[in-house]
Amino acid sequence: SHLISFFSHLISLCSDHLDTPLLLAGDFNLVVDPSLDRSGGGSRPLGGRRGIPFLLNSLDLLDVWRVLHPMERDYTHTSRAHGSHSRIDYFLISPALLAKVGQVTHGPLEISDHTMIWLDFDISVLHVPARQWRFPSFLYRDRDFQSYLVKKWRDYIMFNVEHSSQPELFWEAAKAVLRGGYHRVCGCEGAW
């Protein structure tokens, strides 16, 4: 579906920057938890478990409003046609940035069918330790990528067998080669 394609592409783009704290914001048109994030118009989760939870898990992000308001019901969108209110606008951040957040608030519904959302963020001392690169978990289940990875690993072993007597060097170099291969193909759909 286009929704899965959108999230896969977004994760792919962000995966190149996992060594840097991330902040994503926007109208995702998805409800994470219908019991807390939706009122009226039914209780079907928009996007289900494959939407924002997939994004949060894959990129190790937090829905900062929900972290600060764990049980609160507040909405960012009103649909008069469906008689519903939903929280579908988000600030998603890396855990390393959470200490920099003052508050996240939703404004009143005034002009649009969406409310404004604000994030008070302290950038005065924005020294955040770099995160180590992390393999995107959504690729663990991708059969094409698994095949690609097995082939790259076999090629690496074949061309570097003389270095296998130094396991630490062999492994560190292998990780760099495999990570480089991931970065080359991840931005190109169907490249593996």
Side-chain angles (χ1 to χ4, degrees), residues 145-187:
F145 189 80
Q146 289 171 3
S147 298
Y148 167 80
L149 194 59
V150 166
K151 179 187 179 323
K152 287 307 249 182
W153 178 246
R154 287 182 180 148
D155 289 349
Y156 179 81
I157 291 172
M158 184 173 70
F159 293 116
N160 293 282
V161 71
E162 69 273 6
H163 301 294
S164 62
S165 63
Q166 298 173 297
E168 196 170 302
L169 174 64
F170 183 81
W171 176 240
E172 290 302 319
K175 289 190 299 185
V177 167
L178 294 173
R179 185 170 39 231
Y182 154 77
H183 285 295
R184 272 194 300 281
V185 300
C186 206

Side-chain angles (χ1 to χ4, degrees), residues 20-25 28 52 55-57 59-68 90-102 104 119-121 131:
T20 292
L22 298 173
L23 186 152
L24 302 176
F28 286 86
I52 293 181
L55 180 68
L56 296 175
N57 184 51
L59 296 176
D60 189 26
L61 297 174
L62 301 170
D63 170 2
V64 68
W65 190 86
R66 183 54 67 207
V67 169
L68 297 176
Y90 300 92
F91 281 108
L92 309 175
I93 65 168
S94 297
L97 297 177
L98 189 57
K100 304 291 181 193
V101 173
V104 181
L119 172 67
D120 289 336
F121 195 76
R131 298 188 312 176

Side-chain angles (χ1 to χ4, degrees), residues 71 89 99 114:
M71 299 306 294
D89 302 276
H114 288 263

Side-chain angles (χ1 to χ4, degrees), residues 6-191:
F6 167 77
F7 278 104
S8 294
H9 184 67
L10 182 59
I11 289 167
S12 174
L13 291 173
C14 292
S15 293
D16 288 340
H17 304 285
L18 289 180
D19 57 338
T20 292
L22 298 173
L23 186 152
L24 302 176
D27 172 3
F28 286 86
N29 273 336
L30 297 173
V31 169
V32 175
D33 181 349
S35 66
L36 289 173
D37 298 327
R38 189 171 170 93
S39 174
S43 61
R44 182 180 65 83
L46 302 174
R49 292 180 297 211
R50 296 287 293 167
I52 293 181
F54 178 62
L55 180 68
L56 296 175
N57 184 51
S58 297
L59 296 176
D60 189 26
L61 297 174
L62 301 170
D63 170 2
V64 68
W65 190 86
R66 183 54 67 207
V67 169
L68 297 176
H69 307 275
M71 299 306 294
E72 190 173 331
R73 296 175 63 114
D74 196 10
Y75 311 107
T76 63
H77 177 260
T78 296
S79 171
R80 288 177 178 80
H82 296 104
S84 66
H85 305 280
S86 306
R87 189 173 72 90
I88 60 175
D89 302 276
Y90 300 92
F91 281 108
L92 309 175
I93 65 168
S94 297
L97 297 177
L98 189 57
K100 304 291 181 193
V101 173
Q103 64 179 343
V104 181
T105 55
H106 299 159
L109 188 66
E110 291 179 347
I111 298 172
S112 168
D113 55 351
H114 288 263
T115 65
M116 294 288 289
I117 60 173
W118 286 275
L119 172 67
D120 289 336
F121 195 76
D122 180 11
I123 61 171
S124 62
V125 187
L126 195 57
H127 177 284
V128 180
R131 298 188 312 176
Q132 286 188 317
W133 182 82
R134 199 178 83 147
F135 186 80
S137 61
F138 74 95
L139 287 176
Y140 290 130
R141 294 176 298 280
D142 186 309
R143 296 279 185 217
D144 292 334
F145 189 80
Q146 289 171 3
S147 298
Y148 167 80
L149 194 59
V150 166
K151 179 187 179 323
K152 287 307 249 182
W153 178 246
R154 287 182 180 148
D155 289 349
Y156 179 81
I157 291 172
M158 184 173 70
F159 293 116
N160 293 282
V161 71
E162 69 273 6
H163 301 294
S164 62
S165 63
Q166 298 173 297
E168 196 170 302
L169 174 64
F170 183 81
W171 176 240
E172 290 302 319
K175 289 190 299 185
V177 167
L178 294 173
R179 185 170 39 231
Y182 154 77
H183 285 295
R184 272 194 300 281
V185 300
C186 206
C188 309
E189 189 117 358

